[in-house]
Each structure stands twice: as C-alpha cells, then as structure tokens.
C-alpha cells in the first residue's frame, strides 16, 4: 500500500473516535479544488508499510481507530489486505472515498473490514466531470447504493463550491435518497492549482450566512444535513 502521509492522532476525522489518519498516494479524479495535489501527482515521499504498522502496533492502547484517506485509497490493489492487517490489531477503520470503485467498497463491506465510510457527493451528476475531470458517475451512484444497503454508519459530504448554484445544491439534495448523515463543508481556495483553473480561483467562497441559509433549505429534503467548517 502506498502511504504518503500519517497524522498520529486526530479527534476530527472520525466522528467520536480518536484516530490516526493515513493518506493514500494517488487519485483517479482531479478535482480543481483539491488540497492534496501532491497526492494526485504522486510526488510525495512514501512511508514504508512496515513503519506504518510499527507505529500502529505501538499506539494500540492510545488510539481507537484509523482513517484511510487520500488521494483515493480504493484504487490501490492491496487495500483489502492492508485493512485486514489494521483490523487484526484491533482498530476501528474509517474509509474516506470519492466513491469511484464500488467493487472494492462492496468487498470491504462484505468482509466486515469497515466501521465507517465518508463518501464525497461532489456536484450535480451532469456537472461531475467538469468539477472532477475523470469520473464515471454511475460508479459513484453505485457506491452510494451499496452504502445505503449496508449496516455500518456512513456519511456523504459536499464541499460547497461557489461555482455551483443554490438551485443546483437543492437539486442535489432532492436527487438522492435520504442520507443518514449529510455534511456540507465550506470551500477554501486551494494554494496549489492548475494554471488552466486560474479563472475558477477568482470566484469567492460563499459567505457563512449563505451557507447557513443553504443548510436550512437543504434540510427540507435531507433532514440529516449539518454544516461544517464555517
Ligand atoms: S477526489 Fe479528493 S483527493 Fe482526489 S482529486 Fe478530488 S479532492 Fe483530490
């Protein structure tokens, strides 16, 4: 497993669980607002898997969980065996995913290797490619269905891009089954971006008041919505 970063402990990445966060190298999308561009480009130095497991072994008594984030963890071939090893140490595992690999997510769930999943619901389906460049939206829809039919706790999350309109956010909220938890996050302009995306960086993030209003309007269709990061 290619791991490009490790946060030793976090109280904010796994709801209610003190967890280490691992960042998988590489991603199969290329969202213009990505804050982990080094991970997409695979330019970060990797941490040896042995060092990751030595760390997790040592922290067993202090931490309760491990978050596998990225990048996109599900594109790595050995993710299943990697998580198996983490579970064998007694940790709870949360997966952060863009939802592009339903087969891997299904396998992880079938093998009871996940305790929590956060999946991105990035844009109205017809605008997904414009935002993330490489994506088969059917795959993301399939992963959402798999999660809907699973027994674990999970959440969907949307970064509130100012490039998407109020009406489109309502359309997104209406256009999906009731999510068990729907986290909407403030957008921050990334420090590093592609030169071709410069015009997008000139669009100011939505105000806190606008986002609070959006939370209220979205809650009509998605009662489990919660606004974060403002
Ligand atoms: S899916 Fe996540 S890691 Fe991948 S490009 Fe988009 S924001 Fe970055």
């Amino acid at each position: 497993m290619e791991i490009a970063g490790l946060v030793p402990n976090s109280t904010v990445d796994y709801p209610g669980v003190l967890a280490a966060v691992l960042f998988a190298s590489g991603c199969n999308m290329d969202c213009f607002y990505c804050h982990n561009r080094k991970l997409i480009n695979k330019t970060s130095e990797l941490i040896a898997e042995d060092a990751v497991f030595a760390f997790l072994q040592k922290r067993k008594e202090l931490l309760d969980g491990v978050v596998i984030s990225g990048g996109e963890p599900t594109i790595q071939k050995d993710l299943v065996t990697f998580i198996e090893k983490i579970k064998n140490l007694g940790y709870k595992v949360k997966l952060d995913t863009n939802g592009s690999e339903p087969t891997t997510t299904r396998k992880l769930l079938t093998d009871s290797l996940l305790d929590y999943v956060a999946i991105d619901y990035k844009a109205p389906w017809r605008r997904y490619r414009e935002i993330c460049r490489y994506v088969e939206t059917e795959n993301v829809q399939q992963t959402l269905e798999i999660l809907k039919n699973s027994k674990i706790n999970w959440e969907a999350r949307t970064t509130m891009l100012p490039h998407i309109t109020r009406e489109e956010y309502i359309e997104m909220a209406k256009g999906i089954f009731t999510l068990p938890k729907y986290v909407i996050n403030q957008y921050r302009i990334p420090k590093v971006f592609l030169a071709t995306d410069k015009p997008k960086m000139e669009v100011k993030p939505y105000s806190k008041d606008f986002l609070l209003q959006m939370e209220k309007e979205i809650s009509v269709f998605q009662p489990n919505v919660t606004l974060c990061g403002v």
Side-chain angles (χ1 to χ4, degrees):
M1 183 86 180
E2 294 188 351
I3 299 296
L6 188 164
V7 172
N9 55 70
S10 163
T11 53
V12 295
D13 289 278
Y14 189 156
V17 176
L18 180 63
V21 186
L22 304 177
F23 294 90
S25 180
C27 187
N28 51 356
M29 293 188 191
D30 184 6
C31 308
F32 76 84
Y33 62 92
C34 184
H35 284 261
N36 289 330
R37 202 145 273 285
K38 270 182 141 183
L39 292 179
I40 312 181
N41 299 334
K42 295 186 125 191
T43 50
S44 299
E45 209 172 299
L46 299 181
I47 304 170
E49 209 176 290
D50 285 353
V52 171
F53 281 102
F55 168 83
L56 293 177
Q57 177 72 39
K58 212 165 79 186
R59 293 294 176 99
K60 251 174 26 170
E61 309 305 322
L62 300 169
L63 296 170
D64 295 318
V66 177
V67 178
I68 323 263
S69 191
E72 177 50 41
T74 60
I75 60 172
Q76 296 206 26
K77 287 195 184 65
D78 50 353
L79 179 67
V80 175
T81 48
F82 183 76
I83 295 183
E84 258 166 12
K85 281 167 75 178
I86 295 175
K87 292 292 285 178
N88 286 341
L89 289 174
Y91 284 103
K92 289 182 180 171
V93 172
K94 170 179 178 253
L95 174 72
D96 288 347
T97 179
N98 62 22
S100 58
E101 298 289 335
T103 308
T104 306
T105 306
R106 183 186 287 112
K107 166 82 181 148
L108 288 166
L109 287 167
T110 306
D111 292 358
S112 303
L113 293 175
L114 298 177
D115 300 283
Y116 197 99
V117 173
I119 179 173
D120 298 334
Y121 178 33
K122 290 174 181 286
W125 300 117
R126 66 196 146 71
R127 291 193 64 194
Y128 236 84
R129 282 216 175 179
E130 177 197 333
I131 308 289
C132 309
R133 289 187 259 265
Y134 311 106
V135 62
E136 297 299 335
T137 52
E138 299 74 27
N139 288 344
V140 182
Q141 286 167 313
Q142 212 180 317
T143 307
L144 281 160
E145 281 297 322
I146 290 166
L147 288 169
K148 180 183 159 193
N149 295 322
S150 77
K151 292 193 170 59
I152 65 161
N153 291 326
W154 65 280
E155 67 184 50
R157 50 194 191 181
T158 299
T159 299
M160 300 298 280
L161 306 173
H163 315 75
I164 293 175
T165 64
R166 172 195 165 275
E167 290 73 21
E168 287 174 319
Y169 283 121
I170 299 296
E171 174 194 328
M172 284 173 70
K174 277 186 189 171
I176 193 163
F177 55 84
T178 303
L179 297 163
K181 184 174 174 188
Y182 184 32
V183 179
I184 57 173
N185 286 303
Q186 174 60 292
Y187 157 79
R188 297 183 205 291
I189 299 172
K191 290 196 176 79
V192 182
F193 49 84
L194 299 183
T196 46
D197 287 329
K198 193 149 189 300
K200 291 194 179 83
M201 303 304 148
E202 278 147 27
V203 185
K204 272 179 45 185
Y206 283 131
S207 67
K208 183 178 175 181
D209 285 350
F210 177 88
L211 293 177
L212 286 167
Q213 179 59 28
M214 283 310 305
E215 183 188 33
K216 213 191 274 177
E217 292 186 32
I218 288 171
S219 72
V220 174
F221 309 101
Q222 292 295 336
N224 304 314
V225 67
T226 174
L227 173 63
C228 288
V230 290

